[in-house]
């Protein structure tokens, strides 16, 4: 989380308390993360899913270079869509409804 935000002064327990409050809330919500290769490894994404296990929806968003706050990321190649869809499949062990947004290469529907 510190790598993603660029801040070292984060109160991770406050973030966990916020997640706890969301879980107790009766309203609908989804958790989203942009999967930037410079910030998140595939294993980081799986760890994130484990941390938010039981959430109603987790969305893995494709990273889009070009208009980043950090200019060093503007030329970064995003993960291929197939990688995001594979990660989503692995994340479903923790968050049953894990979706991918903004990526090409959706897998064909399973038969049967």
């Amino acid at each position: 989380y510190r790598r993603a935000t660029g801040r070292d002064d984060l109160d991770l327990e406050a973030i966990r308390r916020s997640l706890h409050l969301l879980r107790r809330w009766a309203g609908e919500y989804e958790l989203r993360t942009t999967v930037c290769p410079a910030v998140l490894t595939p294993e980081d994404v799986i760890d994130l899913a484990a941390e938010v296990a039981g959430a109603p929806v987790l969305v893995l968003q494709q990273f889009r270079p070009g208009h980043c706050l950090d200019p060093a990321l503007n030329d970064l190649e995003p993960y291929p869509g197939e990688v995001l869809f594979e990660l989503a499949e692995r994340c479903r062990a923790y968050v049953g409804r894990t979706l991918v947004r903004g990526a090409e290469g959706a897998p064909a529907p399973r038969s049967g």
Side-chain angles (χ1 to χ4, degrees):
Y1 201 86
R2 288 179 175 99
R3 232 182 346 189
T5 62
R7 295 184 54 183
D8 288 328
D9 61 342
L10 294 172
D11 181 353
L12 294 179
E13 282 309 309
I15 294 166
R16 286 187 178 102
R17 285 191 302 274
S18 294
L19 286 170
H20 177 75
L21 290 172
L22 275 174
R23 286 185 177 120
R24 293 180 43 194
W25 183 48
E28 294 181 23
Y29 68 94
E30 67 180 29
L31 302 174
R32 294 177 286 182
T33 190
T34 299
V35 186
C36 176
V39 178
L40 295 172
T41 67
E43 287 308 312
D44 290 335
V45 175
I46 302 306
D47 290 346
L48 174 92
E51 184 74 27
V52 301
V57 182
L58 174 62
V59 178
L60 306 180
Q61 300 177 144
Q62 179 62 282
F63 167 72
R64 299 279 183 216
H67 299 286
C68 301
L69 292 176
D70 180 350
L73 300 177
N74 283 330
D75 295 321
L76 184 66
E77 190 71 28
Y79 286 117
E82 296 82 23
V83 170
L84 292 185
F85 288 105
E86 180 183 314
L87 284 172
E89 186 64 33
R90 292 178 62 196
C91 288
R92 288 185 187 109
Y94 303 101
V95 180
R97 188 163 176 228
T98 300
L99 311 173
V100 173
R101 288 198 186 129
E104 308 240 347
R110 292 186 233 177
S111 61

